[in-house]
Amino acid sequence: MQVDDEADYQREQCIVAARLYAESMSPPALAAAWTKATSIAATSVESTLSESNALANVAAALEIRGGHMLVLRQMLAPPLSQDQFAIVCSSYSKALENTDRPIPANKAASVAEAFLAMRDIRLLPWLAENRAPSAEEIRHTVTAVTPLLASQIHLTAKRTASSIDQEEAVVALLHAKEWERLPSRLVDRGAILAARQFMKKTKFATTTRPQEVDIACGLGGTMVLAMECKVSNDATNSVKRINDVLKKATAWRDHWGSFVRPAALLQGTIGYKDVQRLTHAGVAVFWSHDLPRFERWIDKNTTS
């Protein structure tokens, strides 16, 4: 395929992927997903309030479950994303929030201090008055925070479910072609993956810390395809997803050179300019709705 043909293909796939994503957003499906997200969110807010003694002991709650930060960040004025909160609180760990693991006592104290300094005072008036909240204040807090949290839960759940579907579709394709799946392990030297062998959710060593890859495929010799599966809910989200791929691709190439061939399997609303950023950086771009093209690519690029 010539350069112009490739560009035309990628531009067309952006349109197709966006259309398919829009078609998946039927009113009944969205309503059901929102009902589920709001139920989970309300339960989460109530749990955080309960386990922190109505926020009187935030640090103790964080020492039990780092996942409370998902709720606490929605109670700030204004609510902050993980990356934004990490800027104002160096003790905060995105990983501990995402995995719901305990935060060490010294760091939990610092995170709790940052939360209290940035909390929404009007939403949580009892903290400034050093008293227990009324039942009405608790109900108001749950009612106010639930939609904010539900939005985060809904978008994350949709993106995560789609990403899992992407990965499983690739695994099914490779199994159908009789590729051998190996247990995940750190890829820290060449030739760990022979031709027609693959790993799911494994890590590649880099000059700093290992970077996880969704699917790693042995292409023969010392060559490995490192493919990230990315789903974007909207054009703004597209920038972040592509930045994730580029960050990993750069780290892998800085450490391994041409041994690793980075790739991205895309789905959802992806801006064509973001696709161009990938292709200009030497990242092979494939689409979930056109897996036969990926199959043809690995057939052509895998040596025995």
Side-chain angles (χ1 to χ4, degrees):
M1 183 178 289
Q2 299 299 315
V3 174
D4 287 346
D5 291 340
E6 175 68 14
D8 289 343
Y9 169 83
Q10 297 296 353
R11 186 181 292 104
E12 177 63 26
Q13 300 321 301
C14 288
I15 297 171
V16 173
R19 175 176 57 77
L20 292 173
Y21 186 81
E23 290 174 355
S24 73
M25 298 176 67
S26 67
L30 287 177
W34 181 246
T35 298
K36 181 178 180 179
T38 53
S39 176
I40 294 172
T43 299
S44 298
V45 176
E46 292 167 355
S47 175
T48 294
L49 290 170
S50 174
E51 293 181 27
S52 67
N53 190 22
L55 306 177
N57 203 339
V58 171
L62 293 174
E63 288 178 42
I64 298 172
R65 295 201 298 110
H68 285 306
M69 279 307 304
L70 176 59
V71 174
L72 296 173
R73 288 188 294 101
Q74 314 312 314
M75 296 179 174
L76 302 178
L80 296 180
S81 68
Q82 290 180 315
D83 292 335
Q84 290 171 329
F85 190 75
I87 293 173
V88 299
C89 180
S90 59
S91 295
Y92 165 74
S93 168
K94 183 190 299 187
L96 294 182
E97 176 184 325
N98 291 343
T99 58
D100 201 20
R101 292 180 301 182
I103 298 178
N106 61 326
K107 292 184 180 296
S110 296
V111 172
E113 183 179 358
F115 163 76
L116 291 172
M118 302 182 67
R119 73 188 187 279
D120 188 331
I121 297 175
R122 290 184 299 176
L123 177 67
L124 313 168
W126 67 89
L127 292 176
E129 299 169 13
N130 196 28
R131 61 174 174 81
S134 67
E136 178 58 32
E137 286 172 327
I138 290 293
R139 283 195 294 271
H140 172 70
T141 300
V142 173
T143 300
V145 176
T146 291
L148 297 174
L149 183 58
S151 178
Q152 301 295 317
I153 291 172
H154 169 67
L155 292 176
T156 300
K158 183 175 179 62
R159 188 169 57 247
T160 300
S162 297
S163 181
I164 292 173
D165 289 343
Q166 281 183 303
E167 294 168 14
E168 292 305 320
V170 174
V171 169
L173 184 153
L174 295 174
H175 276 313
K177 297 179 70 63
E178 299 183 343
W179 280 50
E180 178 187 7
R181 180 172 178 175
L182 300 182
S184 297
R185 54 162 295 186
L186 176 65
V187 178
D188 55 2
R189 57 181 175 80
I192 284 182
L193 279 168
R196 300 176 63 82
Q197 292 180 334
F198 74 98
M199 295 179 187
K200 179 183 175 185
K201 293 296 185 186
T202 192
K203 291 186 177 182
F204 279 77
T206 71
T207 52
T208 53
R209 60 185 178 84
Q211 295 281 348
E212 186 176 75
V213 63
D214 292 326
I215 306 286
C217 301
L219 301 177
T222 59
M223 294 296 299
V224 174
L225 179 76
M227 186 161 72
E228 286 288 285
C229 298
K230 294 296 181 183
V231 180
S232 173
N233 295 316
D234 52 56
T236 301
N237 187 257
S238 167
V239 176
K240 183 176 182 179
R241 299 298 152 217
I242 270 53
N243 285 346
D244 289 343
V245 177
L246 291 173
K247 178 182 176 181
K248 289 186 177 184
T250 299
W252 293 329
R253 280 184 162 159
D254 286 348
H255 186 78
W256 295 102
S258 59
F259 159 58
V260 173
R261 298 190 66 171
L265 182 66
L266 305 179
Q267 182 177 328
T269 304
I270 310 288
Y272 176 61
K273 289 183 178 179
D274 291 322
V275 174
Q276 285 183 305
R277 290 198 292 140
L278 291 176
T279 56
H280 290 168
V283 178
V285 176
F286 305 102
W287 296 86
S288 292
H289 61 263
D290 190 11
L291 278 182
R293 188 170 188 262
F294 168 66
E295 182 176 9
R296 293 192 295 273
W297 189 95
I298 59 172
D299 285 345
K300 179 180 178 180
N301 290 274
T302 302
T303 60
S304 48

